[in-house]
Amino acid sequence: MLQLRYSPTSPYVRKVLAIIHETGLQDEVSLIATNPHQEESLRAQNPLCKVPTLVLEDGTPLFDSPVIAEYLLALASNADLLPLGGPARWGVLQLQALGDGICDAAVGIRMETMRPDGEKSPGFIKRQEAAIIAALDWLEGQSRQLEPITLGSLSIACALGYLDFRLADLGWRSGRPRLAAWYAAIETRPSLVETKPA
């Protein structure tokens, strides 16, 4: 059986869990809760000591979330969520990169705000916020690319969910009615309801 080392609040993990749900692979993957900040045993499988890390049946580890997502989609022979080639594939992968980039910036802000007073960098936070805002504005203008449901659109949904979870004060819906309406619809999808962080 595949083993997924995960943390329930990670948006990258959520994307992988959503893929597992979308492809019906729940019975093929054993979930192992892992705190990457405390469990050095993870480093033996992933030198970056990050989640998600997927361990194959022969012990081979796969990381990080884009690689794991592609593996799972190939395992499930699902070309709907990730087209096999051509412009459609590149569009899906670009959306995934944008979703992951939003998460990178949001996680960066989260980690920076947890630093002791006097060690926080307002300049760093401002730069990450600017990246998130620019990405959201781009998505508002390109919202038609979010249909149909793909690995890319699931990545965006997980990123927006993480903004709600950790950076609610950012108010990302303001001025972005198309993106907000799209998210209101997709967040009711079972794969996202089941993986919503508590």
Side-chain angles (χ1 to χ4, degrees):
M1 177 173 279
L2 303 173
Q3 296 182 338
L4 181 70
R5 301 196 66 172
Y6 82 106
S7 170
T9 58
S10 163
Y12 312 102
V13 166
R14 187 183 187 195
K15 175 178 66 176
V16 169
L17 291 175
I19 293 295
I20 290 171
H21 280 266
E22 292 283 344
T23 54
L25 291 172
Q26 296 96 318
D27 292 339
E28 307 297 323
V29 184
S30 173
L31 303 180
I32 301 175
T34 303
N35 184 334
H37 302 290
Q38 296 179 353
E39 296 183 42
E40 276 296 313
S41 63
L42 177 60
R43 199 175 300 280
Q45 296 167 326
N46 181 344
L48 301 174
C49 206
K50 290 183 177 182
V51 291
T53 296
L54 183 70
V55 183
L56 306 186
E57 291 182 358
D58 66 0
T60 301
L62 293 181
F63 50 85
D64 54 5
S65 66
V67 175
I68 296 171
E70 284 214 40
Y71 177 85
L72 293 171
L73 291 173
L75 184 65
S77 300
N78 190 313
D80 292 333
L81 293 178
L82 181 60
L84 296 177
R89 180 181 179 86
W90 313 133
V92 168
L93 291 176
Q94 178 167 279
L95 281 177
Q96 178 182 217
L98 189 64
D100 287 353
I102 292 170
C103 291
D104 291 345
V107 170
I109 292 171
R110 166 77 174 163
M111 299 303 289
E112 191 68 19
T113 57
M114 293 175 67
R115 290 164 61 92
D117 289 339
E119 294 183 16
K120 297 173 185 172
S121 170
F124 175 83
I125 293 172
K126 185 176 180 181
R127 180 173 173 78
Q128 302 312 308
E129 287 178 346
I132 293 171
I133 290 167
L136 295 172
D137 290 343
W138 187 89
L139 286 166
E140 176 69 12
Q142 304 290 329
S143 58
R144 285 183 294 179
Q145 292 191 31
L146 296 171
E147 297 292 348
I149 301 301
T150 65
L151 167 60
S153 54
L154 287 171
S155 300
I156 297 297
C158 290
L160 298 179
Y162 189 75
L163 294 181
D164 281 345
F165 181 57
R166 292 296 195 199
L167 300 178
D169 291 347
L170 194 63
W172 68 263
R173 291 172 180 80
S174 179
R176 302 181 186 94
R178 290 189 293 272
L179 185 59
W182 172 82
Y183 182 68
I186 196 175
E187 73 172 335
T188 64
R189 198 170 178 89
S191 64
L192 294 174
V193 171
E194 291 295 321
T195 59
K196 186 174 182 178

